[in-house]
Amino acid sequence: MTRVKLTTSKGDINLELFPKEAPGTVANFVKLSKEGFYDGLAFHRVIPSFVIQGGCPNTREGAGGAPGTGGPGWRIKCETAGNPHKHELGALSMAHAGKDTGGSQFFIVNGDASNVRHLDGVHTVFGKCVSAEDIQVVQAIRANDRIVKAEVTEE
């Protein structure tokens, strides 16, 4: 089982990843987490009953560029074909600006599945919150709250 813990300004979000269904996306997220890429970044897009989105390097203190437009310097392929996971409360998914353009930005669903159903088959679901406590932290996140540290806790 692969897990990542996001320590945020509102508490910890423990995530179980799905390497079998989304191996490239999981490997990318784990690599960026281990390298400290996510440390200090903000959740720049928070829409109640929809998603919280983070992972843009332009949200780092002192960084230039518009929040929501940055990435790691590469793109990864979407892994939606044959992926059985759906967007529902607590789902972790890769953000992108079109098919196969994801890199570092991700989102976590903070509302009812009926609000995000249109994302199924479009964005790669590659993990989920481990517990109800993790979902409570997700739902407490507001725009500009920060990821203090991302760390791989199990591989």
Side-chain angles (χ1 to χ4, degrees), residues 17-78:
L17 307 184
F18 305 142
K20 181 180 168 200
E21 297 86 343
T25 308
V26 167
N28 184 67
F29 190 72
V30 166
K31 172 184 174 15
L32 291 170
S33 295
K34 284 182 174 179
E35 291 175 351
F37 181 90
Y38 293 116
D39 300 357
L41 299 185
F43 288 97
H44 62 276
R45 182 175 183 235
V46 177
I47 302 172
S49 299
F50 188 57
V51 302
I52 64 170
Q53 185 171 326
C56 177
N58 295 344
T59 65
R60 193 175 308 283
E61 291 285 342
T69 63
W74 62 80
R75 294 177 173 186
I76 63 172
K77 293 207 174 287
C78 292

Side-chain angles (χ1 to χ4, degrees), residues 54-118:
C56 177
N58 295 344
T59 65
R60 193 175 308 283
E61 291 285 342
T69 63
W74 62 80
R75 294 177 173 186
I76 63 172
K77 293 207 174 287
C78 292
E79 294 178 299
T80 53
N83 186 330
H85 300 288
K86 303 293 184 199
H87 291 88
E88 59 190 12
L89 182 61
L92 171 66
S93 189
M94 183 57 63
H96 60 64
K99 186 171 172 53
D100 299 334
T101 64
S104 60
Q105 293 189 45
F106 64 90
F107 60 89
I108 304 172
V109 177
N110 66 357
D112 189 80
S114 64
N115 297 332
V116 291
R117 197 166 288 128
H118 64 284

